[in-house]
Amino acid sequence: MPIATPEVYNEMLDRAKAGKFAYPAINVTSSQTLHAALRGFAEAESDGIIQISTGGAEFLGGQHNKDMVTGAVALAEFAHIVAAKYDITVALHTDHCPKDKLDGYVRPLLAISAERVARGENPLFQSHMWDGSAETLADNLAIGEELLAQARAAKIILEVEITPTGGEEDGVSHEINDSLYTTVNDAVRTAEALGLGEKGRYLLAASFGNVHGVYKPGNVVLKPELLRELQDAIGKQYGKTDPFDFVFHGGSGSTAEEIETALENGVVKMNLDTDTQYAFTRPVVDHMFRNYDGVLKVDGEVGKKNTYDPRTWGKLAEAGMAARVLEAAKQLRSAGNKLK
């Protein structure tokens, strides 16, 4: 069962929460990066999450039409076939989707899964993300309630981002300032609107100074201990221990100590994109520099087919990204924790 059923996905998240580890959630943009992610999980003996952003889905849809739904569905269907060759379990997820792209991305995908479930099948994706961080919290949560009801009916988990993550990802950007920290009041309003499981399960991308993109340790002030404040405040109010399943966004450049604190405080999913992009591209650049006169037809020569063959440098790229996924699984303690 390489692609998790709804029941298995819930079990995965419960195991992570109880065991204080998190699943690497790897953004993919092609069949090649999908295989790299699957390979990394398999080598780590870790289950994981494969995710596709709006920009990734548009790219997958082809540059002729750039259709996000086509791209997402095509890769998901491909994943259902090829993942069967890997001895791990993965969930399929769609990453950041702002308000202006809901009708062209998440809502159609929810409808596809609803149709599948009505036929007695499993949903195509196991979770979707609604990124309302650019909206007022009231509007964000109102849309979140609507989407959560639809997701629940399709046996899908919803991810919500209630306050901004700094930096830029797929056209959604926020300044790096004091607004990057979720408050207890934000968490209270979230629990009031979305419940704590009774209205459907959701993952919460709370902000504790997170920034998308590339940064060096020390350039961004992460406060993962803030997650403990949110857990304890809402837990006390509702009589429930650690009520939230947190997501760590903008994890590139985080220190081992910051990651460990986040795991102890309820993070069950950590997104990786920037680091894995670099890990995929770096071996390709090395190959091109080392084989300049082979990949190019320099000075009237014919080059060397076996150096510019995409399979030659593509294998290097896959290995590089897989190694970074393996590293992430070890950092997040999911390595060796695959479902038996």
Side-chain angles (χ1 to χ4, degrees):
M1 187 172 37
I3 302 296
T5 63
E7 295 76 18
V8 168
Y9 190 27
N10 276 284
E11 181 185 352
M12 285 171 59
L13 296 173
D14 289 343
R15 289 181 72 245
K17 187 80 164 287
K20 296 189 181 299
F21 66 88
Y23 296 105
I26 308 300
N27 282 73
V28 300
T29 55
S30 65
S31 60
Q32 210 169 4
T33 51
L34 170 66
H35 274 295
L38 291 169
R39 176 177 168 181
F41 288 136
E43 291 178 356
E45 296 188 348
S46 168
D47 300 318
I49 298 170
I50 303 288
Q51 57 188 31
I52 310 165
S53 67
T54 55
E58 181 182 272
F59 180 75
L60 280 158
Q63 298 310 290
H64 180 65
N65 288 314
K66 298 183 178 181
D67 184 78
M68 293 185 291
V69 173
T70 297
V73 170
L75 193 79
E77 295 284 11
F78 183 76
H80 276 77
I81 295 172
V82 300
K85 300 299 182 181
Y86 294 85
D87 189 23
I88 41 91
T89 303
V90 293
L92 302 179
H93 174 80
T94 60
D95 200 11
H96 292 270
C97 183
K99 184 178 180 180
D100 63 344
K101 294 183 178 178
L102 282 174
D103 287 342
Y105 195 47
V106 165
R107 287 189 174 116
L109 291 174
L110 280 170
I112 289 170
S113 283
E115 291 173 2
R116 290 170 61 100
V117 170
R119 295 195 300 265
E121 302 172 12
N122 287 317
L124 184 61
F125 283 86
Q126 286 65 61
S127 53
H128 293 295
M129 181 184 178
W130 151 235
D131 183 354
S133 59
E135 314 302 320
T136 66
L137 185 56
D139 289 345
N140 184 341
L141 293 174
I143 294 173
E145 280 190 272
E146 169 216 331
L147 294 173
L148 183 60
Q150 294 174 18
R152 183 185 189 185
K155 299 183 178 180
I156 288 171
I157 294 171
L158 186 70
E159 180 179 332
V160 295
E161 182 167 342
I162 57 170
T163 42
T165 295
E168 188 273 335
E169 181 163 349
D170 278 352
V172 179
S173 61
H174 297 288
E175 292 183 6
I176 301 174
N177 54 37
D178 289 343
S179 71
L180 304 185
Y181 301 94
T182 299
T183 67
V184 169
N185 183 58
D186 296 331
V188 168
R189 293 174 63 185
T190 299
E192 290 173 347
L194 304 183
L196 292 175
E198 70 277 7
K199 295 183 179 181
R201 189 167 191 171
Y202 62 92
L203 305 174
L204 181 59
S207 305
F208 50 97
N210 320 59
V211 175
H212 291 130
V214 181
Y215 62 90
K216 295 180 180 179
N219 287 15
V220 173
V221 181
L222 286 176
K223 299 178 181 178
E225 61 276 7
L226 173 65
L227 300 178
R228 174 50 49 201
E229 296 178 28
L230 304 181
Q231 295 278 36
D232 290 349
I234 304 306
K236 182 179 180 181
Q237 181 173 333
Y238 286 85
K240 188 174 182 179
T241 302
D242 289 354
F244 292 124
D245 298 326
F246 286 124
V247 181
F248 191 153
H249 282 238
S252 299
S254 303
T255 66
E257 292 76 17
E258 290 165 342
I259 292 173
E260 182 176 342
T261 301
L263 296 177
E264 294 294 326
N265 292 333
V267 164
V268 296
K269 171 179 181 280
M270 179 172 168
N271 292 6
L272 277 94
D273 189 14
T274 302
D275 282 0
T276 49
Q277 285 177 344
Y278 183 77
F280 184 83
T281 302
R282 179 65 180 82
V284 179
V285 174
D286 181 71
H287 174 78
M288 298 303 174
F289 281 161
R290 291 177 183 274
N291 297 280
Y292 178 82
D293 58 351
V295 296
L296 295 178
K297 297 180 180 181
V298 179
D299 296 331
E301 294 298 326
V302 296
K304 296 179 181 178
K305 183 181 183 302
N306 65 344
T307 60
Y308 59 74
D309 184 337
R311 291 170 293 184
T312 300
W313 49 264
K315 291 174 183 177
L316 300 173
E318 178 186 309
M321 181 171 165
R324 183 61 184 89
V325 174
L326 169 60
E327 178 187 345
K330 291 179 178 178
Q331 288 177 321
L332 297 177
R333 306 173 183 165
S334 67
N337 270 318
K338 69 176 184 177
L339 291 165
K340 305 302 181 185

